[in-house]
Amino acid sequence: MINVTLPDGSIKEFESGTTVLDVAKSISEGLARNVISAKYNGTTVETKTQLTTDGSLVLFTWRDDEGKKAFWHSTSHVMAQAIQELYPGAKLTIGPAIENGFYYDVDFGEYKVSENDFKKIEDKMLEIARGKHEFKMREVSKQDALDFYKKENNPFKVELIENLTDGDITFCDHDTFTDLCRGGHIPNTGIIKAVKLMNIAGAYWRGDEHNPQLTRVYGVSFPKQKELKEYLELLEEAKKRDHRKLGKELQLFTFSQKVGQGLPLWLPKGAALRERLENFLKKAQQKAGYEQVVSPHIGQKELYVTSGHYAKYGEDSFQPIKTPSEDEEFLLKPMNCPHHCEIFNSQAWSYRDLPKRFAEFGTVYRYEQSGELHGLTRVRGFTQDDAHIFCTPDQLDEEFKKVIDLVLYVFGSLGFENFTAQVSLRDPENKEKYIGEEENWVKAENAILNAAKEKGLNYVIETGEAAFYGPKLDFMVKDALGRSWQLGTIQVDYNLPERFDLTYKGSDNDLHRPVMIHRAPFGSMERFVAILLEHTGGNFPLWLMPEQAIVLTLSEKYEKYSQKVLNLLENHEIRALADNRSETMGKKIREAEMNKLPYMLIVGEQEEQDGTVSVRKHGGEDLGAMKVEEFAEIINKEINSSLKSFETEV
RNA sequence: GCCGACGUAGCUCAGGGGUAGAGCGCUUCCUUGGUAAGGAAGAGGUCACGAGUUCAAUUCUCGUCGUUGGCUCCA
């Protein structure tokens, strides 16, 4: 007999060899019908797996992430079978489940698959699914596994198996199909009722661009047709929040082929929005002891040779700008830190002066690969809300935590709640990728980890993701389609102070090396506005809105009164405009709604007589008639409730 | 940079080897209105750019540029 511990803590006794499904049945018939995957002692198992030792069991249904993973992973097997049957020369490589579905990387040889093939593959998949084939795991010896794939002439699987240890290799069979697989499947193909191939893309074998490129087929599947339909509708909804679409509609920014790719042009409304964001941060930074500085857009090549950036990125970046006289070369600045180092170097500092916090909305230019450009989130010219803090080693921990407070304040003020803090550390296997001394790296990494812990951040650690000069703490936020973007970032740097020979005089009358913190709460104005657009769908917090209210006149007779209202609104510092066109009220409201105007002030005969405005909120709520002063109060209340001022803990 | 898709009016898109269409927007006129589209007329396009095939190319082929889904990259 074995003891099985369930998630609620209860322990049940079963005969050794009992399957996961039997355990589910012992709990309830309904659960047994719905269980599709499980974990035993932390290892993924199948529903048919026989339990032979004591352990704890977690059962998963389609509702669980783990269940979905098993479902999608199993579907990728089905797709692999379909592809192999339809395109006999195709060589399979790997096919995992991902956050929303699954993919399989396939070498189709000479054949070029396209979306025109999708229908055929989907139909084949559903045909296979309807066969209700069981997924069966079996152990194979390394030699048998290698023989199997050598016979199939599949060098990819052979390579995978060669890296596995004998005795630890399993195959999964269903129907006539066999795949190298670690496990984690649903009971049978029959529960896959709806499949949809989403797109195809190139992907390098093992993620290395020096390797051959495979064809990656993305798909998603569901236990019910209705769920697929809902998922596709959700995607359509998400596309409506795409910042590229909203940016165009709300006239915030544009691009021009003539100006060049990846170089955004901010339109008046976008520029005003951006300015409000900048002022918001400047105000907080002033409270937090930052000082604004300004530096030029170019710098001598020598500056970047000193910083080490030239050696690292020089070849793959915008090339030097020449001058009429020979031997002079300047680079567009790809970051502000070297300039700020020289600002620090402009005078001698005492430890009593530190920390110095130099802030600048610095526009930088980076030659991003053309395939990487993406709306406003990945561009070649952008403005960082940058600052560099120069402090003594003793001050590092506290300064770092203060920056975290500032970032949290910024995110909180703008309603970003679903962010992930990511601590990026060195890859210990590849230390040559980084510059700087071992001792400093250890110090910096510990400082970040301590600060993240102490501030109670919900963080993940990513090894190998550090910048080449130091570890960092990034604040990651997802866009409308679930892609993760880095917004705020805080980085510790012991390297640049060394390279620029930055010093301060300590209490011992000796010169010491300061530590530098790079930080940008927004990350960049471009990316931040983009993600903010996708999160709010263009309905920004009132204080950020390009226009907060619009006066809608019932007819041209009230144009004069609308002007009077506008003047009053301006006195209350409310941004407003008037729509005096000879259009119907219905049409004016519709347009204001589509332009996401937060408040509509309707004026006609009644309002003019009483000296009021009739207030309609975006979305339809009718607040009735009121004096402009009363309206101003509503606006101010709303702004004050979302925009708290930054309080530093000293 | 690599693999795939796309590029037609200001915007969203339809079309297709015989020199172009809709809706919205814009202009003008009529209408003077009460909470998500009042009516009419008009202007607006080297069909991204460059070659090639063809009697004829916006349509087919190739290249360039740009956009886009991924991969790789991200100081």
Side-chain angles (χ1 to χ4, degrees):
Chain A
M1 298 297 274
I2 56 166
N3 288 316
V4 176
T5 310
L6 296 168
D8 65 0
S10 65
I11 298 172
K12 287 194 173 187
E13 203 172 58
F14 293 93
E15 283 191 28
S16 178
T18 296
T19 67
V20 169
L21 194 61
D22 292 334
V23 177
K25 264 185 198 148
S26 80
I27 299 168
S28 86
E29 276 298 325
L31 183 60
R33 266 198 308 278
N34 287 311
V35 67
I36 56 178
S37 176
K39 270 196 175 171
Y40 199 56
N41 288 331
T43 317
T44 302
V45 292
E46 320 273 309
T47 54
K48 306 276 169 36
T49 302
Q50 296 190 322
L51 308 177
T52 53
T53 57
D54 287 356
S56 52
L57 180 71
V58 192
L59 300 169
F60 299 116
T61 68
W62 166 253
R63 289 163 169 275
D64 303 298
D65 286 349
E66 286 291 331
K68 286 190 175 69
K69 209 171 135 189
F71 194 90
W72 286 329
H73 170 68
S74 303
T75 313
S76 87
H77 279 267
V78 174
M79 182 170 79
Q81 182 188 359
I83 286 174
Q84 207 158 58
E85 286 181 16
L86 293 168
Y87 313 92
K91 293 183 176 66
L92 303 169
T93 69
I94 56 161
I98 51 175
E99 201 177 336
N100 285 304
F102 58 89
Y103 67 76
Y104 216 113
D105 282 351
V106 184
D107 177 2
F108 281 92
E110 293 300 302
Y111 185 72
K112 288 231 183 286
V113 266
S114 75
E115 292 179 11
N116 297 330
D117 296 272
F118 283 3
K119 180 79 173 64
K120 196 163 70 176
I121 301 172
E122 285 166 1
D123 288 348
K124 190 73 175 176
M125 287 170 72
L126 287 172
E127 181 193 318
I128 296 166
R130 278 193 294 271
K132 295 185 182 168
H133 308 292
E134 282 186 20
F135 289 97
K136 291 184 204 132
M137 298 294 294
R138 68 182 150 99
E139 283 181 25
V140 285
S141 71
K142 188 163 183 172
Q143 196 51 53
D144 288 349
L146 287 171
D147 289 347
F148 180 84
Y149 281 109
K150 277 179 182 160
K151 212 172 109 199
E152 285 205 349
N153 195 19
N154 185 328
F156 305 103
K157 292 284 190 189
V158 168
E159 189 181 324
L160 289 175
I161 293 164
E162 271 165 357
N163 287 317
L164 296 172
T165 40
D166 203 1
D168 204 18
I169 299 170
T170 48
F171 276 2
C172 176
D173 304 311
H174 78 268
D175 194 13
T176 59
F177 181 78
T178 296
D179 202 352
L180 170 70
C181 187
R182 212 174 293 144
H185 303 91
I186 55 178
N188 69 75
T189 62
I191 59 176
I192 302 169
K193 301 287 193 199
V195 300
K196 169 110 181 121
L197 302 193
M198 302 303 288
N199 48 51
I200 49 178
Y204 302 106
W205 167 236
R206 306 200 126 193
D208 186 334
E209 61 179 321
H210 305 293
N211 284 339
Q213 196 161 37
L214 307 165
T215 303
R216 179 169 294 180
V217 184
Y218 285 90
V220 68
S221 61
F222 294 90
K224 283 182 186 153
Q225 191 65 37
K226 189 169 149 245
E227 283 170 289
L228 170 61
K229 196 171 152 248
E230 283 167 359
Y231 175 70
L232 294 176
E233 281 166 2
L234 203 74
L235 274 187
E236 283 307 307
E237 279 305 306
K239 280 184 191 152
K240 287 184 190 158
R241 301 202 312 273
D242 189 315
H243 75 275
R244 293 165 296 195
K245 180 173 149 42
L246 289 170
K248 197 178 267 180
E249 286 171 3
L250 301 175
Q251 298 172 13
L252 300 177
F253 58 88
T254 189
F255 288 89
S256 144
Q257 256 200 60
K258 274 213 181 74
V259 172
Q261 58 179 168
L263 299 170
L265 299 168
W266 289 82
L267 303 173
K269 286 183 190 180
L273 173 83
R274 182 178 145 154
E275 198 174 53
R276 274 189 283 283
L277 278 171
E278 290 184 2
N279 289 338
F280 155 75
L281 182 57
K282 269 186 192 163
K283 210 164 143 188
Q285 285 181 168
Q286 197 177 10
K287 276 200 168 177
Y290 288 76
E291 299 166 286
Q292 290 292 132
V293 297
V294 176
S295 62
H297 286 228
I298 61 174
Q300 287 205 86
K301 180 177 154 187
E302 195 51 36
L303 180 68
Y304 304 101
V305 172
T306 303
S307 71
H309 290 104
Y310 189 79
K312 178 90 178 169
Y313 295 103
E315 300 289 310
D316 308 314
S317 203
F318 284 119
Q319 291 307 291
I321 301 164
K322 308 266 188 195
T323 65
S325 61
E326 304 277 318
D327 305 327
E328 266 193 305
E329 287 187 320
F330 291 83
L331 288 172
L332 276 169
K333 78 172 167 189
M335 81 289 300
N336 306 295
C337 11
H339 288 82
H340 289 190
C341 283
E342 284 303 288
I343 289 176
F344 183 86
N345 253 345
S346 67
Q347 70 182 84
W349 302 101
S350 146
Y351 72 97
R352 295 173 194 274
D353 298 318
L354 303 188
K356 293 306 292 181
R357 309 181 185 93
F358 296 142
E360 174 176 14
F361 287 89
T363 303
V364 298
Y365 301 90
R366 296 178 183 177
Y367 182 77
E368 305 288 4
Q369 296 184 62
S370 59
E372 263 312 324
L373 299 174
H374 180 97
L376 271 193
T377 49
R378 194 80 184 268
V379 287
R380 286 180 169 172
F382 57 98
T383 301
Q384 296 177 312
D385 55 323
D386 213 355
H388 295 96
I389 299 169
F390 302 88
C391 63
T392 70
D394 289 346
Q395 292 167 330
L396 177 64
D397 277 349
E398 194 189 334
E399 283 304 308
F400 201 93
K401 282 179 224 152
K402 279 185 181 169
V403 177
I404 293 180
D405 285 339
L406 184 64
V407 174
L408 294 179
Y409 164 70
V410 168
F411 276 40
S413 299
L414 289 150
F416 284 120
E417 279 150 19
N418 295 318
F419 59 85
T420 316
Q422 178 179 313
V423 178
S424 298
L425 305 178
R426 259 185 321 179
D427 177 2
E429 307 288 310
N430 272 311
K431 287 189 180 172
E432 70 283 355
K433 268 169 53 184
Y434 309 93
I435 56 179
E437 283 169 40
E438 173 71 21
E439 180 199 1
N440 287 339
W441 271 90
V442 173
K443 265 199 268 181
E445 291 186 343
N446 285 334
I448 293 182
L449 286 166
N450 287 339
K453 255 177 239 160
E454 198 168 310
K455 285 292 166 192
L457 292 180
N458 177 20
Y459 65 93
V460 292
I461 293 175
E462 295 286 342
T463 39
E465 290 294 312
F468 76 101
Y469 52 76
K472 53 184 183 171
L473 173 61
D474 291 329
F475 292 80
M476 311 295 290
V477 180
K478 286 183 178 171
D479 69 10
L481 286 174
R483 294 173 289 211
S484 229
W485 295 92
Q486 172 213 309
L487 293 182
T489 181
I490 319 176
Q491 311 179 5
V492 178
D493 188 349
Y494 285 91
N495 179 54
L496 281 184
E498 201 73 38
R499 287 174 166 262
F500 280 90
D501 195 21
L502 308 184
T503 56
Y504 65 91
K505 188 164 276 187
S507 56
D508 55 3
N509 202 29
D510 280 339
L511 288 179
H512 296 271
R513 196 67 81 202
V515 187
M516 191 173 166
I517 299 173
H518 308 246
R519 42 106 285 172
F522 291 141
S524 82
M525 302 314 292
E526 284 73 11
R527 187 177 287 177
F528 194 84
V529 169
I531 303 297
L532 188 60
L533 260 172
E534 304 210 349
H535 273 245
T536 60
N539 297 307
F540 296 111
L542 195 55
W543 64 274
L544 266 182
M545 270 291 176
E547 272 106 19
Q548 296 163 320
I550 184 164
V551 182
L552 306 179
T553 50
L554 209 47
S555 88
E556 285 156 345
K557 285 187 284 194
Y558 311 107
E559 194 172 337
K560 230 179 174 173
Y561 181 60
S562 79
Q563 191 53 51
K564 197 177 149 196
V565 172
L566 276 186
N567 290 341
L568 282 171
L569 290 170
E570 208 184 320
N571 290 344
H572 286 95
E573 292 184 346
I574 292 165
R575 296 184 290 276
L577 70 167
D579 184 350
N580 291 319
R581 295 173 306 162
S582 75
E583 297 288 353
T584 56
M585 186 48 61
K587 177 144 181 168
K588 290 183 183 188
I589 287 176
R590 180 179 157 79
E591 281 186 20
E593 284 286 344
M594 292 200 301
N595 288 327
K596 305 185 190 295
L597 266 300
Y599 288 94
M600 289 152 234
L601 310 181
I602 295 156
V603 297
E605 193 180 352
Q606 197 63 51
E607 288 79 6
E608 184 169 24
Q609 245 171 47
D610 304 346
T612 58
V613 291
S614 286
V615 182
R616 177 199 156 103
K617 262 186 109 154
H618 176 70
E621 193 187 341
D622 188 355
L623 304 186
M626 62 184 79
K627 300 270 181 201
V628 173
E629 287 71 22
E630 293 173 67
F631 173 67
E633 210 166 297
I634 291 177
I635 296 259
N636 285 330
K637 228 185 220 165
E638 185 175 336
I639 288 175
N640 290 333
S641 73
S642 69
L643 193 60
K644 305 265 184 266
S645 68
F646 182 58
E647 304 298 340
T648 47
E649 299 168 34
V650 183

